[in-house]
Amino acid sequence: MNDTPYANFLAIREDKDADGNPICVMNPGDTAFAREGVMHGGAIAALLQAAGKHAVTHALKAAGNASEPTVSTISITVDYLRPGKMTANRAIGKIVKLGARVANLTVQAWNDDPKKPFATAKLTMGIQR
Amino acid sequence: MMSMTLLGESPDLDAALKIFLSTGHNAALGLTDAAYGPGWIQYRLPWRAELAATGASRLIDPSAIYSLLDAACAMTVWARTGKFAPYPTLDFRVDYLRAPAPGADIIGRGECYAITPDYAFMRGIAHEGDPANPVAHCSGAFMSYKERAS
């Protein structure tokens, strides 16, 4: 990704899934490590937040916004369902509502099987047009 | 490599925090200046360009503040009870109250304000030096770790 130092620091990059939906992919290294084989909860939150932001910026572009709106996180709540492994993982944000000033999302992250997420998040994002 | 066991074998919280802050994500963030009291722990996250949300902004990424707060809360059961017990995170919420000051170090302080044999409840704030003017607020639930009966 361009000009996103913290995402680069954690090896998080924007991508698309097979259906063209915006996702984020992470290849966790030492900077995301917590303990043997397990990612740090904060690094997991960063992946979920990045996927949510990617979903919102993608949706705003698709809606034909001329200027590039600023998208910021108002709040995030992460549920840790199982340990996040230190292997390649992915996250996708689903927009529940895209409003004029706020977007509400649910995001999930998984290692191998999208039906077995290791973490989910409820994300509230602010939009400044 | 840090493990739950290694932390548990630490003679005291000071030694455990040294291990905790010298490992993986916490070390990469540069968390430092550990301080603690009854039920609370605090660290400083020094500003550096690598932690910025965007290159131009000099604003620390919100997820780095999340990590600071998560780490600050993680060991507070020890600070409250005086003994090690692993309590992994069940859920964790951060409210971003305003943009952080550009290029500023962030202080994160976590507190264990309630505990049962099964669950612990934490809350905390992040600020640039004035706790009365927080940049973020957190709360979360943690669950005690138990070996499964085989």
Side-chain angles (χ1 to χ4, degrees):
Chain A
M1 285 194 288
N2 42 9
D3 195 36
T4 51
Y6 192 66
N8 296 342
F9 169 73
L10 288 176
I12 298 169
R13 62 181 174 79
E14 296 184 344
D15 205 337
K16 283 185 178 157
D17 69 9
D19 300 320
N21 299 307
I23 63 168
C24 278
V25 178
M26 181 180 193
N27 287 297
D30 283 348
T31 58
F33 175 87
R35 57 194 157 80
E36 291 159 39
V38 176
M39 285 169 65
H40 192 289
I44 293 169
L47 171 66
L48 291 162
Q49 197 263 358
K53 188 169 186 176
H54 189 202
V56 173
T57 51
H58 186 267
L60 289 170
K61 245 179 227 164
N65 280 270
S67 63
E68 200 141 298
T70 306
V71 177
S72 59
T73 304
I74 300 169
S75 76
I76 182 168
T77 307
V78 178
D79 287 320
Y80 295 96
L81 310 175
R82 29 178 88 81
K85 292 181 209 154
M86 290 289 293
T87 56
N89 52 60
R90 288 155 190 273
I92 187 162
K94 186 183 164 196
I95 297 174
V96 179
K97 186 194 169 193
L98 184 62
R101 296 169 60 207
V102 171
N104 306 83
L105 296 95
T106 56
V107 192
Q108 60 173 313
W110 68 95
N111 284 118
D112 310 309
D113 182 355
K115 290 191 183 118
K116 288 181 79 177
F118 61 79
T120 58
K122 184 195 94 64
L123 191 54
T124 310
M125 306 205 87
I127 303 163
Q128 268 143 352
R129 293 170 196 263
Chain B
M1 299 261 280
M2 181 187 73
S3 72
M4 291 290 193
T5 317
L6 191 56
L7 278 181
E9 284 165 1
S10 299
D12 55 37
L13 186 50
D14 285 301
L17 291 179
K18 273 201 186 106
I19 296 169
F20 189 61
L21 295 190
S22 63
T23 308
H25 187 56
N26 294 338
L29 286 172
L31 298 187
T32 186
D33 294 357
Y36 63 88
W40 65 267
I41 296 179
Q42 137 178 333
Y43 311 118
R44 185 165 59 86
L45 172 60
W47 158 259
R48 64 182 212 275
E50 213 177 356
L51 306 181
T54 64
S57 68
R58 288 176 54 80
L59 300 181
I60 231 161
D61 192 281
S63 293
I65 296 175
Y66 181 113
S67 289
L68 167 67
L69 288 169
D70 185 22
C73 288
M75 306 269 282
T76 53
V77 167
W78 195 331
R80 182 181 168 116
T81 65
K83 58 180 190 241
F84 175 70
Y87 272 71
T89 318
L90 266 184
D91 63 40
F92 201 72
R93 170 179 175 119
V94 177
D95 292 304
Y96 299 101
L97 309 178
R98 60 178 169 81
D105 292 4
I106 309 289
I107 312 283
R109 178 171 167 141
E111 173 199 7
C112 173
Y113 69 94
I115 186 168
T116 74
D118 286 322
Y119 310 109
F121 300 88
M122 324 303 195
R123 62 189 171 202
I125 56 165
H127 58 85
E128 300 101 331
D130 178 7
N133 185 26
V135 65
H137 179 276
C138 72
S139 62
F142 293 65
M143 184 166 73
S144 64
Y145 181 79
K146 285 179 183 150
E147 297 283 355
R148 265 185 214 175
S150 53

